[in-house]
Amino acid sequence: MIDPNLLRNNLAETAEKLKIKRNFILDTEKLIALEEQRKALQVQTETLQAERNTRSKAIGAAKGRGEDIAPLLAEVDDMGIELSMAKAKLDDVLAELNQIALTIPNIPADEVPLGKDDSENVVAEVF
C-alpha cells in the first residue's frame, strides 16, 4: 500500500510520478475532498470529546455542591450521541481513504528506467 503521508503531503507530486512511471491516473480531487472531510470530522470529534470531558468534570463539581445534575447529565448524554455519530462518519471516511490507497500502485524508485513493458526491463545485479 502506498504511504498515506505521500497522499496527504505530496499529492500533486505523487500523482505526477504515478502518471509518468505507472501510467496510473490518481483522482486527486476526490482525495482532497475526502482529506478535508477527515480533517473536519477529526476536529469535530476531538472538540466534542474535550467538551464532554469538561462537562463531566462540571457534573462532579455540581454533585459535590449538592446541586441537581439531571440537566447536565442530559447534556452529556446528547453530546455522547453526537460524538458517536461523528466518530462513525470519521470511520467511514477513513475506510474510504484506506480503500482508495489500497488500489494505488507503489511508485518505483527514481533510478528505475522507464519502459513500455517487460521486454524493456534492465537486469541489475546487486552485490
Side-chain angles (χ1 to χ4, degrees):
M1 183 167 99
I2 194 161
D3 183 3
N5 287 326
L6 284 175
L7 298 177
R8 285 190 186 121
N9 302 325
N10 300 324
L11 183 60
E13 182 182 334
T14 302
E16 187 63 26
K17 283 184 178 181
L18 285 168
K19 183 178 179 183
I20 292 170
K21 294 189 175 224
R22 291 290 189 144
N23 198 26
F24 183 86
I25 305 300
L26 185 62
D27 189 354
T28 56
E29 291 177 12
K30 184 172 185 170
L31 284 171
I32 290 169
L34 284 170
E35 186 61 24
E36 287 174 1
Q37 279 183 318
R38 183 200 63 81
K39 287 178 185 176
L41 287 167
Q42 191 148 5
V43 167
Q44 180 184 7
T45 56
E46 289 171 0
T47 302
L48 284 170
Q49 183 69 47
E51 184 65 27
R52 188 172 81 165
N53 290 345
T54 302
R55 299 273 170 98
S56 294
K57 289 178 184 177
I59 289 172
K63 190 174 185 179
R65 292 188 303 265
E67 298 174 5
D68 181 24
I69 60 169
L72 293 173
L73 286 173
E75 272 185 39
V76 170
D77 286 343
D78 289 344
M79 290 182 107
I81 293 168
E82 191 176 349
L83 179 61
S84 295
M85 289 172 33
K87 283 183 179 179
K89 287 179 187 176
L90 179 59
D91 288 344
D92 290 345
V93 169
L94 287 172
E96 189 172 355
L97 280 168
N98 191 43
Q99 188 59 40
I100 290 170
L102 287 171
T103 65
I104 300 172
N106 284 324
I107 302 169
D110 290 334
E111 57 271 2
V112 174
L114 297 177
K116 289 184 284 186
D117 56 30
D118 290 347
S119 66
E120 295 183 4
N121 286 350
V122 176
V123 176
E125 294 185 33
V126 179
F127 295 98

